[in-house]
Amino acid sequence: MELFLFIITAAIALAGAVAMVLTRNAIHSALFLLLNFGAVAVLFLLLYSPFLFAIQLTVYAGAIMVLFLFVVMLLGAERVEDAPDQIAWQRPLGLAMGLMLLLVALATAFRSSAFAPAPGGAALEAFGDPAALGALLFTHYLLPFQVTGIILLVAVIGVVVLNQRRRPRPSEAKTR
Amino acid sequence: MDWLALLILVVQCFVITLAVTTAFAYLTLFERRLLARFQNRVGPNRAGPNGFLQPVADAVKLFFKEDVIPSAADRVVYLLAPAMAVIPALIIWAVIPFGCLEMSGNWQACFDPQTTTPLQNILQMAEINVGVLYLLAVTSIGVYGITLAGWASNNKYSMLGGIRSAAQLVSYELALGAAVLAVVMTYGTFSTHQIVVAQAGLWGIVPQFLAFVIFMIASTAEVVRSPFDLVEAEQELVGGYNTEYGSMKFALFFMTEYIKLIAVSAIAVTFFMGGWRVPGLETLGAGIETLAGPLAASIAVGLVSLGAFLLKLVAFLFFSVWMRASWPRLRYDRLMDLGWKWLLPLGLINIAYTAVVFVLIPNETLASFVLLALGVLTLVIALGINRVPKPVDNVTYVKDLKEMG
């Protein structure tokens, strides 16, 4: 049952990813990416981690994709011209780097004990527990957590500063 | 998983989907009759006794309408959008506890916060340890249907409606999340069932009064209902994102909106009004157990809790119709101001209150009342600051243009 579900979900995730790259229309691309995110969320469920499932849906499928769609729609850039790529070596370089990433991932997977059977029972129960995750974030990974927070804050302040429109001063407004 | 359990699950899915859809149909009648009363009219009363068959007539009419697809529309996305709108509205019901009917007859387990054996409660489909997060996740993907419908119709009014909806829903999701987070902090759990169980003494509205107010406003905006229905402002946008949709496809959008309204009301009941709890439920269970055995007690507790839940739900829906009848639509910049400059900061302040008060005051009842006082005080201060909105003059008059040359 589990293997069956995994194969279906993985196939959907892969199909979504491939279709996303190959589609010409940017909105269709975004929708295939959404399909991929959804399938990955289900994979998290199969890994007994409902917490990551919910986070994947909220953060990726919800927040990021909505912003992305929004930008694409506002810019009206949904149709790509059929003109050849502006940078000729872009595609081969992308392919090479993708292959490299795949190799690194495979090497890590084969060298570690990732293929050992998953721990069962109590270990599984504690695996996706939000309380345990939170405790780890605030003890063992406190510094990275805080640094991430500051980076996000900087981004927020940057948006506010860049978006500020110059308002006419009161004195200028009077002379208008 | 054994096959019987799977079968029960499938039956549960069907029953909940059908129940919610029927509830939608009769909510439209409820709303039309009530709105009519609020406006000193009679409302639809011709089809059946007291207009009871009006929803059936509406459904038949929508079914037999011609199904048109605009030639300039993006066909696939246009057809996909209603489904993407209605599915989140339906699956959100999976974690909401309607009551507690324990199948094994061990009805005390419903009230036990530290239950070790998993509940066999057939009035809640899935009891997962991240139920609240699931609710937020499903709400956050609910934006897609509306936004994509607006884009795929290839119509400027639909597009404007879609963009408005995306901005509005993303903005108010934050305030909604902040309010829900404070509730989670109060009860220390993400499980919806456990939150209901933990409201044994005081209901959630007492410690989280501020969160309740924020939740009610933000959830009304989240289901794009009046006074926050800018997404479908008829005067400005013809019909908004669903201008190009007709027949059953339009009905699906309509359905989504109302099912979401019922869902957020159910969530508000679960978080702030004690869910399926009603005072004396445990006494009733104990009494019936001595009279007729544990199984009868379990069924009685289940039915009474379901009844209490539905009663509270109807009260919330009535309130929602009342709001719609009472308030005019907000202006767009006011809407954004309210979401970002008032609700979100208030939500964050409330989270800080909750954290500090529960650490400083170990007695939970006392802490709840302190939080209530703080919440009311903060609301009064916020209303005081917000009382005199300065009119912003963004208009360029013709005489100014002439003077400038």
Side-chain angles (χ1 to χ4, degrees):
Chain A
M1 182 84 168
E2 220 162 79
L3 185 71
F4 182 64
L5 281 178
F6 169 76
I7 289 173
I8 294 179
T9 322
I12 292 175
L14 278 178
V18 171
M20 180 219 134
V21 176
L22 295 181
T23 319
R24 284 259 161 222
N25 188 319
I27 298 259
H28 292 176
S29 242
L31 285 180
F32 279 120
L33 187 60
L34 178 67
L35 179 69
N36 177 281
F37 284 157
V40 171
V42 176
L43 283 181
F44 279 130
L45 264 192
L46 286 177
L47 287 170
Y48 293 89
S49 186
F51 180 67
L52 284 181
F53 160 79
I55 293 298
Q56 169 88 8
L57 278 187
T58 320
V59 176
Y60 285 93
I64 293 182
M65 279 298 294
V66 166
L67 275 183
F68 179 63
L69 270 184
F70 211 8
V71 168
V72 171
M73 281 176 166
L74 279 184
L75 295 181
E78 58 254 29
R79 300 231 171 259
V80 187
E81 312 86 59
D82 285 326
D85 288 345
Q86 301 213 325
I87 312 166
W89 41 267
Q90 203 176 18
R91 217 166 265 215
L93 184 72
L95 272 178
M97 286 173 88
L99 270 180
M100 225 155 78
L101 191 65
L102 186 66
L103 276 182
V104 171
L106 279 180
T108 328
F110 275 109
R111 281 179 63 187
S112 69
S113 55
F115 284 120
L124 260 185
E125 289 274 308
F127 176 59
D129 187 30
L133 212 70
L136 261 185
L137 271 185
F138 278 97
T139 52
H140 196 248
Y141 295 104
L142 185 60
L143 185 65
F145 183 71
Q146 304 262 15
V147 170
T148 318
I150 289 178
I151 292 174
L152 286 175
L153 185 66
V154 169
V156 169
I157 294 173
V159 167
V160 172
V161 169
L162 288 178
N163 211 14
Q164 215 169 31
R165 232 176 280 151
R166 208 182 72 91
R167 291 222 182 84
R169 301 238 171 81
S171 55
E172 287 175 44
K174 250 178 214 167
T175 58
R176 185 164 59 110
Chain B
M1 185 186 289
D2 88 81
W3 290 107
L4 186 68
L6 198 63
L7 188 71
I8 290 178
L9 200 66
V10 170
V11 171
Q12 272 180 320
C13 289
F14 269 107
V15 169
I16 287 185
T17 313
L18 288 178
V20 165
T21 323
T22 317
F24 144 70
Y26 278 91
L27 176 59
T28 58
L29 181 66
F30 180 71
E31 178 169 40
R32 288 170 70 182
R33 294 283 289 182
L34 274 179
L35 271 181
R37 284 292 168 206
F38 280 122
Q39 297 162 351
N40 207 4
R41 294 184 285 122
V42 179
N45 66 344
R46 292 296 152 137
N50 274 321
F52 197 71
L53 293 177
Q54 186 68 37
V56 182
D58 287 342
V60 170
K61 175 200 159 204
L62 279 168
F63 265 119
F64 285 104
K65 271 192 159 183
E66 189 184 353
D67 196 18
V68 186
I69 299 178
S71 56
D74 186 314
R75 226 185 136 79
V76 181
V77 182
Y78 177 82
L79 292 177
L80 204 63
M84 285 186 77
V86 85
I87 288 172
L90 286 176
I91 63 175
I92 204 168
W93 289 91
V95 295
I96 297 174
F98 302 97
C100 193
L101 207 170
E102 173 68 32
M103 296 245 285
S104 63
N106 178 21
W107 59 272
Q108 289 95 339
C110 287
F111 301 95
D112 184 9
Q114 268 106 33
T115 176
T116 44
T117 51
L119 279 176
Q120 287 178 307
N121 177 8
I122 58 164
L123 290 176
Q124 182 184 7
M125 274 193 59
E127 157 63 14
I128 50 176
N129 65 353
V130 291
V132 176
L133 285 176
Y134 174 86
L135 289 177
L136 289 179
V138 174
T139 330
S140 73
I141 50 174
V143 195
Y144 282 104
I146 298 179
T147 316
L148 288 174
W151 177 79
S153 301
N154 211 345
N155 167 335
K156 66 179 169 190
Y157 297 116
S158 300
M159 181 74 184
L160 281 173
I163 286 175
R164 273 189 182 183
S165 81
Q168 178 178 336
L169 268 59
V170 169
S171 306
Y172 278 80
E173 221 173 81
L174 288 169
L176 197 72
V180 170
L181 192 62
V183 175
V184 170
M185 283 167 74
T186 310
Y187 297 114
T189 174
F190 278 127
S191 145
T192 43
H193 174 75
Q194 290 298 334
I195 285 179
V196 174
V197 170
Q199 295 179 49
L202 292 167
W203 285 355
I205 190 171
V206 177
Q208 290 300 336
F209 181 72
L210 191 53
F212 174 70
V213 174
I214 297 170
F215 185 93
M216 286 311 288
I217 299 175
S219 64
T220 310
E222 197 68 21
V223 297
V224 292
R225 238 184 107 72
S226 177
F228 302 106
D229 57 346
L230 291 107
V231 169
E232 42 201 282
E234 293 90 352
Q235 300 91 329
E236 305 150 29
L237 295 176
V238 185
Y241 63 92
N242 54 23
T243 305
E244 296 287 351
Y245 283 86
S247 176
M248 261 332 262
K249 292 203 290 295
F250 167 74
L252 281 181
F253 282 119
F254 199 59
M255 191 163 127
T256 307
E257 205 170 292
Y258 280 85
I259 292 181
K260 267 175 152 175
L261 171 65
I262 308 176
V264 290
S265 304
I267 296 170
V269 169
T270 308
F271 286 169
F272 300 105
M273 288 293 168
W276 42 260
R277 274 183 174 283
V278 61
L281 196 58
E282 282 170 282
T283 326
L284 176 86
I288 291 189
E289 185 166 16
T290 50
L291 282 178
L295 201 63
S298 189
I299 291 171
V301 167
L303 291 181
V304 170
S305 60
L306 179 64
F309 181 83
L310 293 180
L311 210 62
K312 291 174 189 175
L313 190 57
V314 170
F316 265 81
L317 293 175
F318 175 79
F319 183 70
S320 174
V321 176
W322 191 7
M323 279 219 292
R324 176 172 170 180
S326 307
W327 277 329
R329 188 179 293 138
L330 257 74
R331 216 172 59 198
Y332 195 74
D333 57 330
R334 291 277 168 78
L335 174 89
M336 284 293 148
D337 272 5
L338 181 67
W340 288 101
K341 295 185 187 163
W342 294 101
L343 290 185
L344 182 61
L346 280 177
L348 294 177
I349 290 173
N350 187 37
I351 288 175
Y353 283 162
T354 312
V356 171
V357 168
F358 275 108
V359 170
L360 281 187
I361 307 173
N363 182 346
E364 250 180 58
T365 318
L366 186 63
S368 299
F369 280 107
V370 169
L371 270 177
L372 176 67
L374 277 176
V376 173
L377 192 69
T378 314
L379 265 182
V380 168
I381 293 174
L383 286 175
I385 299 173
N386 196 19
R387 208 170 47 123
V388 202
K390 281 181 192 153
V392 184
D393 189 6
N394 280 333
V395 187
T396 312
Y397 294 107
V398 178
K399 65 175 194 315
D400 291 348
L401 284 174
K402 277 180 187 159
E403 276 170 24
M404 279 157 70

